[in-house]
Amino acid sequence: DQQVKQNSPSLSVQEGRISILNCDYTNSMFDYFLWYKKYPAEGPTFLISISSIKDKNEDGRFTVFLNKSAKHLSLHIVPSQPGDSAVYFCAASAVKSSYKLIFGSGTRLLVRP
Amino acid sequence: DTGVSQDPRHKITKRGQNVTFRCDPISEHNRLYWYRQTLGQGPEFLTYFQNEAQLEKSRLLSDRFSAERPKGSFSTLEIQRTEQGDSAMYLCASSLVAPGGETQYFGPGTRLLVL
């Protein structure tokens, strides 16, 4: 049973527009959420995180929104750039599970010039 | 560069052979995690250490897998009698325990191919 789901395997957007990547989770014990970006043959690179006590966190072009009642989070990238093209993973963790990360299956983002 | 490093980056081995991977975490980080990633999936947790103590192992970690972190610094992951199903990317991450949540930083991974 997947506890973290990314239902869109791929997303294509025009350069300069907004990219919205979505993630749903089922375990209400999760209290910390992260987004990672991954290029082929490399390890995941940390992008941004959010604690369950917040509903929004912003860092430059990246904003993460958390809707606890819906068990949903999203990553907004604006404006999107061709260099953002990569696979994006949503991950969740819980202090009671020693913060081990539970990952979604990823969304491949393509930003078209 | 003071990030997480892993060695080797690639390993090709024959079924039945033993392999060992090394991970060097960010120096001030006290937690070290191992994950495995197969094609089309997100990374899956294998095990983690706090300092030198191995505190949790996933059921994915069969008896053929063993991990160590002597002296709480680098870690090794050994796979004995490799099987074709062990082919995957093995990722190491490190973090510093902090209140409110901790961020794990990943190394570049070791890609294992078992023939």
Side-chain angles (χ1 to χ4, degrees), chain A residues 7-80:
Chain A
N7 292 317
S8 297
S10 63
L11 175 68
S12 179
V13 299
Q14 193 75 35
E15 180 179 6
R17 307 294 284 268
I18 185 170
S19 296
I20 300 176
L21 296 96
N22 294 302
C23 178
D24 296 293
Y25 63 96
T26 57
N27 190 339
S28 57
M29 298 296 292
F30 289 143
D31 51 24
Y32 196 61
F33 303 88
L34 308 92
W35 284 93
Y36 288 86
K37 173 181 178 180
K38 190 177 184 301
Y39 293 115
E42 294 184 10
T45 300
F46 170 70
L47 276 177
I48 192 168
S49 61
I50 187 166
S51 166
S52 60
I53 61 173
K54 296 186 176 182
D55 55 18
K56 177 182 175 181
N57 188 27
E58 190 172 354
D59 183 1
R61 297 186 298 114
F62 302 91
T63 303
V64 56
F65 295 92
L66 176 61
N67 182 333
K68 283 180 62 179
S69 61
K71 293 189 175 67
H72 177 84
L73 65 155
S74 61
L75 174 68
H76 292 209
I77 306 173
V78 56
S80 301

Side-chain angles (χ1 to χ4, degrees), chain A residues 27 29-32 92-102:
Chain A
N27 190 339
M29 298 296 292
F30 289 143
D31 51 24
Y32 196 61
S93 65
V95 62
K96 292 187 177 181
S97 297
S98 305
Y99 287 119
K100 65 185 179 190
L101 295 176
I102 308 298

Side-chain angles (χ1 to χ4, degrees), chain A residues 36 38 98-101, chain B residues 31 33 35 37 48 56 104:
Chain A
Y36 288 86
K38 190 177 184 301
S98 305
Y99 287 119
K100 65 185 179 190
L101 295 176
Chain B
R31 283 197 175 180
Y33 297 78
Y35 293 82
Q37 184 177 22
Y48 93 96
E56 186 174 346
Q104 294 179 29

